[in-house]
Amino acid sequence: PTVHQGDLIAYSPLKEEFKRGDIVLLPPPPQLTQMAFERGVPIQKGDLLVKRLVGLPGDIIQVRNGRLEVNGAPDRWQQAAQKLRLTEECVSRCVEADYDIGPLTVAEGQVFLLGDNRGASTDSHVFGAVDQAELVGRAFWKVQRTYGSLYP
């Protein structure tokens, strides 16, 4: 996964044009807040979700056999994993999902968000596409607390 719990993230709070592949921040959707409360893990005021934007308005999203396709093409993270010859365990743990969805078309004014740790992320496959206006910014820097290193 790109971001771990406890990492500090710097983000641009400007409402800009977001691109597919951006790491974006947004407040938890109401249905996620309710789910967390029911599980005894209430979301704190000011908490933000960090997700990867995988679908823009008009995009056709499908997860088939655990692999994301956008407009009929494999997700670029899976392509990169194959080029880097990452182990099958890493690919299945980090970029493959344990669910199938779609095909579905992202509505005008909405975006589809997935976590990089697809099999363990609560994201648009659970709460659906979100209004683009809900995005509060795009991440551009993180401090990984575990190691104290910086990543642009």
Side-chain angles (χ1 to χ4, degrees), residues 1-3 23 52 77 93-96 114-118 121:
T2 305
V3 178
I23 297 174
R52 187 167 306 275
W77 299 108
R93 196 178 76 236
C94 298
V95 296
E96 287 187 356
L114 293 178
D116 285 351
N117 190 357
R118 303 271 160 81
S121 181

Side-chain angles (χ1 to χ4, degrees), residues 84-135:
L84 293 172
R85 297 182 181 167
L86 297 180
T87 66
E88 188 61 34
E89 176 190 3
C90 179
V91 172
S92 65
R93 196 178 76 236
C94 298
V95 296
E96 287 187 356
D98 58 357
Y99 53 82
D100 288 343
I101 55 172
L104 58 89
T105 302
V106 181
E108 195 62 40
Q110 294 196 317
V111 292
F112 201 84
L113 309 171
L114 293 178
D116 285 351
N117 190 357
R118 303 271 160 81
S121 181
T122 303
D123 48 35
S124 285
H125 92 274
V126 173
F127 51 74
V130 298
D131 290 337
Q132 193 164 352
E134 290 294 314
L135 304 181

